[in-house]
Amino acid sequence: MPPYEEFAEAIRPLWDSRWLTNMGCYHKELEEKLKDFLKVPGLSLFVNGHMSLELAIQAFQFAPGAEVITTPFTFISTTHAIVRNNLKPVFCDIKWSDGTIDESKIEDLITEHTVAIVPVHVYGNLCRMEAIQEIADHYGLKVIYDAAHAFGMEYQGRGIGSFGDASVFSFHATKVFHTIEGGAVAFTDPKLYDRLYTLKNFGIQGEELVTGIGANAKMNEFSAIMGLCNLKYIFKSMEGRKKSYEFYKEQLENVKGLRLFRKEDNATNNYAYFPVLVEEEYGITRDELWSNLRDENIYARKYFYPLTSDQACFKNKYRNANLQRAREISKKALTLPLYEDLAMESQERIIDILKNRKGRIYVSMGEKRAGVLPSGL
Ligand SMILES: *Cc1c(COP(=O)(O)O)cnc(C)c1O
C-alpha cells in the first residue's frame, strides 16, 4: 500500500470533479505512465487482468470454435479467457527447465483450425519468444502472452509487453504492482487501441452508435489513482522483494532435492515469486512440506496445481498433447511467501523448515506464533 496520506490526498480532487470512472483524467495519466514504464508501443487499461485477457483475445475476432495452443500450467484465468471466447484450448506440455510452454512441441499441435498461441511467462520465467514468434509467423498465428507474472520485466532491453501481438498484465492486489483490481493489454498494432477501448465500453462507438458486442471492463479513477501512487514506489517494492528473493536463493539452491527454475540471463527480474521444485531426493513430498509449513502458519502455495486442463470444468473436454512433464512439475512446485516487507526472522523460520525436511518437529504446542502471509491469491 502507498502511504495512506498520499492516497487520501490524491483522491481529494474526485470530490470536486465527481468524475469517478469512464476514462477520466487519472485513467489517461496512468495509461501514459505505464506505457513509458513498461516500454511498450501501446497500452489499454482494464478493470482486471482476466478481462484484459478475455477482451485482448476477442479483439482479434477469431472464428468461433478455432483452436488456441496454450499451457495448462497457469492460473485458471488463462484457460477461461480462451474458452469464454468460444475457442478451443489445445494444451501443450511445458519445459522442465523453467515451466514455460515447450516451444519444440507447439508445431505438432498446429492444425488448419489453429489461430493463436497463448503462452504464459509463468512466475516471470520468460517463454522462448523468438522461437514462438518464428512458428507464429510461419503459420500465420497471433501470439497473445499472459504476462500477469512479468510486470516491469525486460528482455534484451525491450519491455516484455512489446513481444508478440499483445501481452496482458494483472494489477490485482496480490501482484507486484497493483491498482486494487486492474489490468492492462500492451500491444504493437495501434489499431488495437480503439478496438479495445470499444470492447471495454459496451461496444459503444458514439452517443447513438453501438457497433460491437462489448463488455464493461473499464478501470475506475480510484484504481487509477492507486496505480499512480504505487508506481512511485515500484522500485523500492522490487528492491524489498529482491532482498528476500536473493536470501532464499542463497540458502536453498544447494539443498539436496530442492530444484530452482532456470532464469533467463538476458532479462531483468521483478522478484514476484520464489517457486521451488520438491524432487524425490528431498525425502518428503511437496504436499508433506506444504503441510509442515501450514502447521507453522506459513502459507506456501501449490502454484499451479492441478493443471487447468485437469480441472473439473475442462477435464477430458479438449485435445491434449502428452502433458506428462506439466503434470509432474505441477505436483512438485511450491511457491514460498515473498513480499516487500517479509521479515528476516520469518524468512529464516521458513528456510529452517525447508532445510530440515521434517517440519513437523517445529510444531510448538500451545505457542501461537504470528502467521506468515500467503504470497498470492
Ligand atoms: C492473476 C493472474 C490472472 C488474472 O488476473 P486478475 O487481475 O486477477 O483478473 C491471469 N493469469 C495469471 C497467470 C495470473 O497470475
mmCIF file of all heavy atoms in Angstrom, residues 21-36:
data_model
loop_
_atom_site.group_PDB
_atom_site.id
_atom_site.type_symbol
_atom_site.label_atom_id
_atom_site.label_comp_id
_atom_site.label_asym_id
_atom_site.label_seq_id
_atom_site.Cartn_x
_atom_site.Cartn_y
_atom_site.Cartn_z
ATOM 1 N N THR A 21 -15.354 7.463 -12.961
ATOM 2 C CA THR A 21 -14.973 6.381 -13.884
ATOM 3 C C THR A 21 -15.202 6.863 -15.316
ATOM 4 O O THR A 21 -15.241 8.080 -15.541
ATOM 5 C CB THR A 21 -15.760 5.083 -13.547
ATOM 6 O OG1 THR A 21 -15.301 4.018 -14.394
ATOM 7 C CG2 THR A 21 -17.254 5.264 -13.699
ATOM 8 N N ASN A 22 -15.326 5.943 -16.272
ATOM 9 C CA ASN A 22 -15.484 6.310 -17.700
ATOM 10 C C ASN A 22 -14.289 7.082 -18.250
ATOM 11 O O ASN A 22 -14.435 8.179 -18.762
ATOM 12 C CB ASN A 22 -16.786 7.107 -17.929
ATOM 13 C CG ASN A 22 -17.998 6.204 -17.856
ATOM 14 O OD1 ASN A 22 -17.890 5.054 -17.430
ATOM 15 N ND2 ASN A 22 -19.142 6.694 -18.274
ATOM 16 N N MET A 23 -13.122 6.483 -18.152
ATOM 17 C CA MET A 23 -11.892 7.011 -18.739
ATOM 18 C C MET A 23 -11.654 8.482 -18.378
ATOM 19 O O MET A 23 -11.608 9.358 -19.239
ATOM 20 C CB MET A 23 -11.909 6.833 -20.263
ATOM 21 C CG MET A 23 -11.656 5.421 -20.778
ATOM 22 S SD MET A 23 -12.720 4.105 -20.186
ATOM 23 C CE MET A 23 -13.464 3.551 -21.733
ATOM 24 N N GLY A 24 -11.507 8.726 -17.082
ATOM 25 C CA GLY A 24 -11.233 10.086 -16.597
ATOM 26 C C GLY A 24 -9.763 10.452 -16.764
ATOM 27 O O GLY A 24 -8.989 9.732 -17.401
ATOM 28 N N CYS A 25 -9.371 11.576 -16.139
ATOM 29 C CA CYS A 25 -8.003 12.069 -16.368
ATOM 30 C C CYS A 25 -6.949 11.183 -15.691
ATOM 31 O O CYS A 25 -5.816 11.099 -16.157
ATOM 32 C CB CYS A 25 -7.872 13.536 -15.945
ATOM 33 S SG CYS A 25 -8.146 13.814 -14.204
ATOM 34 N N TYR A 26 -7.303 10.498 -14.592
ATOM 35 C CA TYR A 26 -6.307 9.637 -13.934
ATOM 36 C C TYR A 26 -6.108 8.341 -14.715
ATOM 37 O O TYR A 26 -5.006 7.788 -14.756
ATOM 38 C CB TYR A 26 -6.714 9.368 -12.479
ATOM 39 C CG TYR A 26 -6.743 10.647 -11.698
ATOM 40 C CD1 TYR A 26 -7.953 11.289 -11.402
ATOM 41 C CD2 TYR A 26 -5.560 11.259 -11.312
ATOM 42 C CE1 TYR A 26 -7.970 12.496 -10.730
ATOM 43 C CE2 TYR A 26 -5.567 12.471 -10.632
ATOM 44 C CZ TYR A 26 -6.780 13.082 -10.349
ATOM 45 O OH TYR A 26 -6.787 14.273 -9.696
ATOM 46 N N HIS A 27 -7.187 7.880 -15.329
ATOM 47 C CA HIS A 27 -7.108 6.733 -16.230
ATOM 48 C C HIS A 27 -6.103 7.045 -17.334
ATOM 49 O O HIS A 27 -5.190 6.262 -17.628
ATOM 50 C CB HIS A 27 -8.505 6.471 -16.804
ATOM 51 C CG HIS A 27 -8.602 5.307 -17.726
ATOM 52 N ND1 HIS A 27 -8.204 5.352 -19.047
ATOM 53 C CD2 HIS A 27 -9.075 4.049 -17.531
ATOM 54 C CE1 HIS A 27 -8.430 4.186 -19.618
ATOM 55 N NE2 HIS A 27 -8.956 3.369 -18.718
ATOM 56 N N LYS A 28 -6.247 8.237 -17.928
ATOM 57 C CA LYS A 28 -5.375 8.653 -19.021
ATOM 58 C C LYS A 28 -3.930 8.771 -18.538
ATOM 59 O O LYS A 28 -3.000 8.312 -19.200
ATOM 60 C CB LYS A 28 -5.871 10.002 -19.558
ATOM 61 C CG LYS A 28 -5.421 10.303 -20.960
ATOM 62 C CD LYS A 28 -6.182 11.485 -21.553
ATOM 63 C CE LYS A 28 -7.542 11.105 -22.115
ATOM 64 N NZ LYS A 28 -8.445 12.230 -22.315
ATOM 65 N N GLU A 29 -3.763 9.379 -17.362
ATOM 66 C CA GLU A 29 -2.406 9.596 -16.843
ATOM 67 C C GLU A 29 -1.709 8.258 -16.544
ATOM 68 O O GLU A 29 -0.535 8.071 -16.877
ATOM 69 C CB GLU A 29 -2.481 10.454 -15.562
ATOM 70 C CG GLU A 29 -1.116 10.869 -15.052
ATOM 71 C CD GLU A 29 -1.190 11.706 -13.774
ATOM 72 O OE1 GLU A 29 -2.281 12.268 -13.476
ATOM 73 O OE2 GLU A 29 -0.172 11.790 -13.075
ATOM 74 N N LEU A 30 -2.444 7.320 -15.932
ATOM 75 C CA LEU A 30 -1.833 6.024 -15.613
ATOM 76 C C LEU A 30 -1.494 5.261 -16.896
ATOM 77 O O LEU A 30 -0.439 4.627 -16.993
ATOM 78 C CB LEU A 30 -2.760 5.190 -14.717
ATOM 79 C CG LEU A 30 -2.181 3.842 -14.276
ATOM 80 C CD1 LEU A 30 -0.900 4.017 -13.443
ATOM 81 C CD2 LEU A 30 -3.197 3.017 -13.475
ATOM 82 N N GLU A 31 -2.374 5.358 -17.889
ATOM 83 C CA GLU A 31 -2.121 4.683 -19.155
ATOM 84 C C GLU A 31 -0.802 5.176 -19.770
ATOM 85 O O GLU A 31 0.038 4.383 -20.185
ATOM 86 C CB GLU A 31 -3.296 4.932 -20.119
ATOM 87 C CG GLU A 31 -3.699 3.714 -20.910
ATOM 88 C CD GLU A 31 -5.082 3.857 -21.560
ATOM 89 O OE1 GLU A 31 -5.299 4.792 -22.332
ATOM 90 O OE2 GLU A 31 -5.933 2.986 -21.293
ATOM 91 N N GLU A 32 -0.616 6.502 -19.776
ATOM 92 C CA GLU A 32 0.613 7.086 -20.338
ATOM 93 C C GLU A 32 1.839 6.681 -19.524
ATOM 94 O O GLU A 32 2.865 6.296 -20.073
ATOM 95 C CB GLU A 32 0.502 8.623 -20.369
ATOM 96 C CG GLU A 32 -0.396 9.154 -21.478
ATOM 97 C CD GLU A 32 -0.001 8.628 -22.868
ATOM 98 O OE1 GLU A 32 1.215 8.674 -23.185
ATOM 99 O OE2 GLU A 32 -0.884 8.172 -23.614
ATOM 100 N N LYS A 33 1.724 6.760 -18.193
ATOM 101 C CA LYS A 33 2.881 6.454 -17.337
ATOM 102 C C LYS A 33 3.276 4.984 -17.438
ATOM 103 O O LYS A 33 4.458 4.648 -17.444
ATOM 104 C CB LYS A 33 2.579 6.819 -15.878
ATOM 105 C CG LYS A 33 2.519 8.335 -15.673
ATOM 106 C CD LYS A 33 2.999 8.760 -14.302
ATOM 107 C CE LYS A 33 3.334 10.247 -14.305
ATOM 108 N NZ LYS A 33 2.576 11.011 -13.311
ATOM 109 N N LEU A 34 2.273 4.112 -17.521
ATOM 110 C CA LEU A 34 2.595 2.684 -17.612
ATOM 111 C C LEU A 34 3.189 2.336 -18.968
ATOM 112 O O LEU A 34 4.052 1.462 -19.076
ATOM 113 C CB LEU A 34 1.349 1.839 -17.353
ATOM 114 C CG LEU A 34 0.965 1.664 -15.882
ATOM 115 C CD1 LEU A 34 -0.340 0.885 -15.764
ATOM 116 C CD2 LEU A 34 2.071 0.947 -15.094
ATOM 117 N N LYS A 35 2.709 3.022 -19.997
ATOM 118 C CA LYS A 35 3.247 2.793 -21.338
ATOM 119 C C LYS A 35 4.756 3.082 -21.333
ATOM 120 O O LYS A 35 5.548 2.304 -21.862
ATOM 121 C CB LYS A 35 2.520 3.702 -22.334
ATOM 122 C CG LYS A 35 2.500 3.185 -23.730
ATOM 123 C CD LYS A 35 1.532 3.961 -24.589
ATOM 124 C CE LYS A 35 2.261 5.139 -25.216
ATOM 125 N NZ LYS A 35 1.432 5.853 -26.207
ATOM 126 N N ASP A 36 5.140 4.177 -20.705
ATOM 127 C CA ASP A 36 6.565 4.514 -20.602
ATOM 128 C C ASP A 36 7.295 3.518 -19.720
ATOM 129 O O ASP A 36 8.347 3.008 -20.075
ATOM 130 C CB ASP A 36 6.745 5.918 -19.986
ATOM 131 C CG ASP A 36 6.335 7.002 -20.953
ATOM 132 O OD1 ASP A 36 6.189 6.690 -22.160
ATOM 133 O OD2 ASP A 36 6.145 8.147 -20.508
#
